[in-house]
Amino acid sequence: MRVTEEIKSRLDIVDIVSDYLPLRKSGRSFSGFCPFHQNTRTPAFYVFPETQTWHCFGACAEGGDLFSFVMKKEGWDFKEALAKLASKAGVELEPFNPVNKKKQATEDKMAALLAAAADYFHMLFLHAPQAEAARNYVAQRALNEETIAVFKLGYALQSWNACRTHFQDQGYSDSELLAAGLLTENPDKGTRYDRFRNRLMIPIRDVNGRIAGFGARTLEKDGIPKYLNSPQTKLFNKSHLLFGLDGAKRHIREARQVVIVEGYMDVMQGWQAGFRNMAAQMGTALTEAQLRQLKRYTKRFVLALDADAAGQKATMRGLQVARETLDREVEVKFDARGLVQHEGRLQADIRIVTLPEGNDPDKIIRTDSAQWLQLLAQAQPVVAYVIDMATRDLDMTDAKAKTAVAQQVLPLIKDIVDPVERDHYWQALARALRVDERALRQIQVQEKPRVYSHPAMPPPPPSLSELEMPPPSQSGKIVRRISDGRMAAGKREANYLSQCLHHPQIMPQVNQRLAQNQQPPVNASDFTAAEDRLLLQQMVRWREGRAVASIDELCDSLDEALNERVQSLLALSPTPESELDRLADKLALSVLNWRQEKIGQLVGEVKQLFRKEQALDNTDAREMYEKLNEWTLAVLRIHKAKSAMSAVSRRKAEDLGNGRF
Ligand SMILES: [Zn+2]
């Protein structure tokens, strides 16, 4: 099996897409709001489990397979998508080439080194006399033996080269130690020394429990920095990792909520006290990558912010002050607008809890765990929280100050995706500012009207039954007919690519026949599989402006994964050179057939949707209606083109026959 097929056979597109947006069952498909365009009323995005494909029936009018979905959503190229999905599917990718093979081996070796380093630091923590201060510090924080063991707390000696020597003796080179972030280099003098010295070592694991780096706390009074992290390495990426997630994920799922805190100690303290659905963001604002990872386990996030970061400074006013004083740190820690946008994109529920001045979760959990639970229960939605903070000390007689607050909060409200929720905050802000909501809405000079009223729906599209479209009501029957059709379509796509690889000169000939019948040339969107789309694009480029194009030339320009596809396509037997004219006719007709089938399937889906959905007087539905009309016309045109082509073929065959006799 080709590697892309292997991956597709192991993953379910419904699961993967569900990581990004909620889907609901809708007949034999799943529907949701399109993640690629503004889509809030009628779900325009469909996933078809049978064919493992997706399609947006709204503004995007685009679709594809699992690969094209993640490529579009994550901005990955095919290679990245392949690597990510392969690891998700547990498919081992054959290294593309010796360079990549070496890269993988380097990463594995780095992981092994970091694991060994964690063991080394842990042993020192437990047994070294020099680790007394570290042990005292941990005892002060009331962490018990079990917690120390679970998190594998460690100690780095007060030395410039203890760690370096230890691992050199085990065969690791300086460059490996540098790459793993255990060693550091003075750029001026070129000297190398242990990065972590006299620090409490806290291993940071990725979601699968593999050690990716360390957080290291100083044990010296007023030591700077208080926490020293591993540098960015192949395995350590702060904006993707969350401390404690590997151990917390099961508990997050059970508790249906994750509590996001700032510090390692908070997570460990929580763990020890039985609050195990906690993870720490490690000093940066939450990134979408982090939230996405968490979203596999829950849709509900509670951010517990320190009073100093959250309180005054976290308000919009505070952010402005922070910017003025160039206090970047505060600016990035709490990004309310970013959170609201994440919330909308991820369809998540993000809440904020502020801790009492001078307290962190660690301290509260240690001293009064009932209070911790109470605080969590009081968590507020982001916008409510910002309104609260921004108006808390507001002088209600100062009109200008009120306008300023309104202007700061309004962008947040505008970003809210859900219309009911949005309306709720319009009212809430008006109340908090003690102004009329209508006045507030007038500040909104830039906001586009969101609720469209439009005249009656366009007339329903003409019936397609005369075009031999399967009637959408007899579902059992259609399933078979459609999927047969699709398998045939898949084969037709493969046949087209295969023939064009064998006979590149046929590509313009097929396009010419299509053009003669007012049909667009064969293009990437004619293909279902992401790799076929890429392959076609490469083939078009390969063919452009050349009389002769060799397969080797094409293969040189392709990734290994596409090369594999080319080889399997070349294995299909070519049509003899003598029959190329007929082949061009056949392929052009074949293209039209599969185009018609694909549109037919889409039409069937949309019609089914319209039968089910009651409230159709909105923009999304209107868009779909228009699309339906468009497709209907497209099918009529294809039908016409097919008739014309068939007539030409018949005439040619007759001429040929006449010639023979
Ligand atoms: Zn869309």
Side-chain angles (χ1 to χ4, degrees):
M1 207 186 300
R2 287 188 299 123
V3 68
T4 48
E5 283 166 2
E6 170 99 41
I7 291 168
K8 284 185 197 171
S9 76
R10 291 201 199 186
L11 296 175
D12 183 2
I13 190 168
V14 178
D15 285 347
I16 304 285
V17 173
S18 297
D19 276 354
Y20 296 91
L21 58 138
L23 291 174
R24 69 184 169 118
K25 190 112 171 74
S26 161
R28 56 177 193 272
S29 47
F30 288 81
S31 64
F33 293 111
C34 178
F36 305 121
H37 81 276
Q38 182 74 21
N39 173 216
T40 54
R41 309 284 294 271
T42 305
F45 187 85
Y46 276 71
V47 177
F48 309 110
E50 277 172 50
T51 52
Q52 292 287 306
T53 56
W54 60 274
H55 197 94
C56 167
F57 291 104
C60 310
E62 222 187 297
D65 62 359
L66 179 56
F67 282 86
S68 58
F69 178 81
V70 296
M71 284 161 72
K72 195 170 162 76
K73 195 73 197 75
E74 300 280 7
W76 291 334
D77 64 18
F78 185 68
K79 219 168 170 174
E80 283 173 290
L82 188 66
K84 297 273 172 36
L85 293 178
S87 97
K88 199 162 196 150
V91 170
E92 207 164 303
L93 285 184
E94 283 292 308
F96 291 127
N97 52 46
V99 177
N100 284 350
K101 197 170 178 172
K102 205 174 145 204
K103 202 173 126 202
Q104 185 57 47
T106 313
E107 266 185 40
D108 289 347
K109 201 166 180 198
M110 187 191 289
L113 169 57
L114 288 168
D119 286 338
Y120 162 72
F121 293 134
H122 187 53
M123 291 317 283
L124 287 172
F125 177 89
L126 293 177
H127 306 297
Q130 299 98 310
E132 193 60 34
R135 289 190 292 264
N136 285 341
Y137 174 79
V138 168
Q140 230 177 58
R141 293 297 186 115
L143 295 181
N144 63 28
E145 269 178 40
E146 192 201 338
T147 307
I148 291 165
V150 165
F151 288 93
K152 210 174 249 193
L153 296 184
Y155 174 70
L157 292 166
Q158 172 72 296
S159 156
W160 296 97
N161 57 12
C163 178
R164 182 190 192 181
T165 313
H166 179 83
F167 284 104
Q168 273 175 346
D169 289 349
Q170 296 193 8
Y172 285 98
S173 68
D174 263 10
S175 59
E176 283 166 336
L177 292 166
L178 274 168
L182 292 170
L183 214 57
T184 201
E185 189 171 46
N186 181 319
D188 300 327
K189 297 179 196 159
T191 48
R192 292 164 175 184
Y193 47 89
D194 286 1
R195 167 184 274 276
F196 303 110
R197 302 176 306 279
N198 193 26
R199 283 177 179 264
L200 175 72
M201 299 299 290
I202 304 162
I204 299 164
R205 297 176 166 93
D206 67 16
V207 68
N208 299 315
R210 184 167 77 162
I211 291 171
F214 295 92
R217 194 192 189 283
T218 181
L219 291 166
E220 284 152 28
K221 196 170 179 290
D222 306 321
I224 288 176
K226 196 166 150 194
Y227 280 97
L228 178 66
N229 280 330
S230 287
Q232 175 102 7
T233 71
K234 290 240 163 22
L235 299 181
F236 191 76
N237 182 347
K238 244 168 65 162
S239 57
H240 283 76
L241 292 167
L242 283 150
F243 176 73
L245 182 56
D246 57 311
K249 54 191 181 190
R250 184 164 65 86
H251 304 280
I252 292 171
R253 207 172 250 147
E254 278 167 13
R256 295 184 178 181
Q257 132 171 337
V258 56
V259 179
I260 301 162
V261 291
E262 290 195 29
Y264 308 109
M265 280 299 157
D266 303 328
V267 171
M268 292 190 279
Q269 203 63 251
W271 172 272
Q272 187 167 298
F275 303 117
R276 298 195 166 176
N277 58 332
M278 290 166 73
Q281 67 193 70
M282 300 196 293
T284 56
L286 274 179
T287 65
E288 195 159 326
Q290 289 170 328
L291 289 173
R292 239 179 235 307
Q293 203 165 37
L294 287 172
K295 223 197 123 207
R296 290 191 199 158
Y297 313 107
T298 184
K299 279 164 73 170
R300 192 174 161 118
F301 310 101
V302 176
L303 269 67
L305 300 174
D306 290 352
D308 61 334
Q312 272 296 321
K313 287 177 187 171
T315 66
M316 305 306 277
R317 274 175 302 157
L319 287 184
Q320 241 171 20
V321 174
R323 274 190 207 106
E324 280 158 18
T325 56
L326 297 175
D327 186 356
R328 300 283 308 170
E329 183 69 1
V330 175
E331 192 186 338
V332 298
K333 265 191 183 162
F334 181 80
D335 170 9
R337 188 153 192 204
L339 286 176
V340 171
Q341 286 169 350
H342 288 324
E343 201 171 29
R345 270 199 298 274
L346 298 170
Q347 307 249 326
D349 175 2
I350 305 181
R351 297 188 177 227
I352 312 281
V353 56
T354 322
L355 307 178
E357 199 81 41
N359 274 291
D360 51 24
D362 168 34
K363 192 165 160 195
I364 298 170
I365 292 169
R366 217 167 351 121
T367 54
D368 186 357
S369 59
Q371 192 197 359
W372 174 243
L373 284 173
Q374 202 181 352
L375 284 168
L376 291 183
Q378 289 163 359
Q380 283 178 295
V382 181
V383 180
Y385 173 82
V386 172
I387 291 176
D388 207 24
M389 284 296 168
T391 54
R392 186 169 282 180
D393 305 319
L394 190 66
D395 175 2
M396 288 297 164
T397 62
D398 184 344
K400 281 211 167 21
K402 282 169 139 183
T403 306
V405 168
Q407 270 165 349
Q408 286 152 354
V409 180
L410 286 174
L412 288 182
I413 297 180
K414 281 198 284 177
D415 285 340
I416 297 172
V417 173
D418 183 85
V420 175
E421 206 183 317
R422 200 163 52 230
D423 222 53
H424 170 87
Y425 287 114
W426 274 110
Q427 292 163 20
L429 181 62
R431 267 198 314 274
L433 293 174
R434 293 180 212 156
V435 296
D436 191 292
E437 195 189 325
R438 278 166 301 180
L440 203 55
R441 285 187 189 262
Q442 278 166 14
I443 299 180
Q444 276 304 91
V445 277
Q446 287 162 327
E447 200 193 25
K448 290 186 207 140
R450 282 177 193 270
V451 182
Y452 299 89
S453 62
H454 53 75
M457 293 306 293
S463 163
L464 293 167
S465 54
E466 70 268 24
L467 303 178
E468 295 169 82
M469 235 15 110
S473 51
Q474 306 162 9
S475 51
K477 223 166 160 187
I478 313 158
V479 173
R480 230 169 307 117
R481 281 178 64 183
I482 287 184
S483 53
D484 286 350
R486 186 139 337 83
M487 277 178 59
K491 270 187 195 154
R492 280 199 276 258
E493 290 166 35
N495 184 50
Y496 170 88
L497 291 171
S498 168
Q499 296 299 344
C500 292
L501 285 169
H502 285 298
H503 311 290
Q505 68 272 36
I506 205 92
M507 293 172 76
Q509 293 178 23
V510 173
N511 286 340
Q512 194 193 356
R513 281 160 174 75
L514 291 171
Q516 279 163 358
N517 291 286
Q518 285 77 48
Q519 286 288 316
V522 178
N523 57 77
S525 69
D526 280 319
F527 296 84
T528 304
E531 70 265 36
D532 287 350
R533 290 181 180 184
L534 290 170
L535 180 58
L536 184 93
Q537 284 166 351
Q538 286 295 334
M539 284 168 65
V540 169
R541 231 166 285 156
W542 165 60
R543 175 60 214 167
E544 254 164 24
R546 287 184 209 195
V548 186
S550 81
I551 282 285
D552 289 346
E553 246 179 297
L554 174 71
C555 290
D556 284 348
S557 73
L558 299 177
D559 279 349
E560 191 71 22
L562 289 183
N563 247 315
E564 201 194 17
R565 177 67 172 148
V566 170
Q567 297 314 323
S568 77
L569 288 167
L570 284 173
L572 301 174
S573 51
T575 303
E577 294 278 340
S578 59
E579 289 174 30
L580 289 191
D581 186 56
R582 263 210 5 231
L583 177 64
D585 289 344
K586 265 166 66 181
L587 288 181
L589 198 59
S590 166
V591 170
L592 291 183
N593 273 327
W594 93 59
R595 272 183 191 165
Q596 183 179 354
E597 256 161 35
K598 279 185 185 173
I599 299 175
Q601 190 215 352
L602 300 181
V603 168
E605 296 293 344
V606 172
K607 282 188 156 181
Q608 221 180 24
L609 168 73
F610 280 135
R611 255 195 307 282
K612 275 193 311 255
E613 299 282 333
Q614 295 303 309
L616 286 180
D617 57 338
N618 65 59
T619 324
D620 295 326
R622 192 190 167 84
E623 255 170 16
M624 284 195 217
Y625 248 113
E626 279 163 9
K627 206 113 285 166
L628 198 53
N629 282 324
E630 211 176 279
W631 284 330
T632 307
L633 290 174
V635 170
L636 286 167
R637 281 195 299 269
I638 291 174
H639 196 65
K640 205 173 137 200
K642 273 168 62 179
S643 307
M645 279 187 191
S646 303
V648 170
S649 302
R650 263 199 312 277
R651 255 201 323 278
K652 276 188 189 170
E654 276 167 22
D655 291 349
L656 206 65
N658 289 340
R660 246 182 231 153
F661 291 106

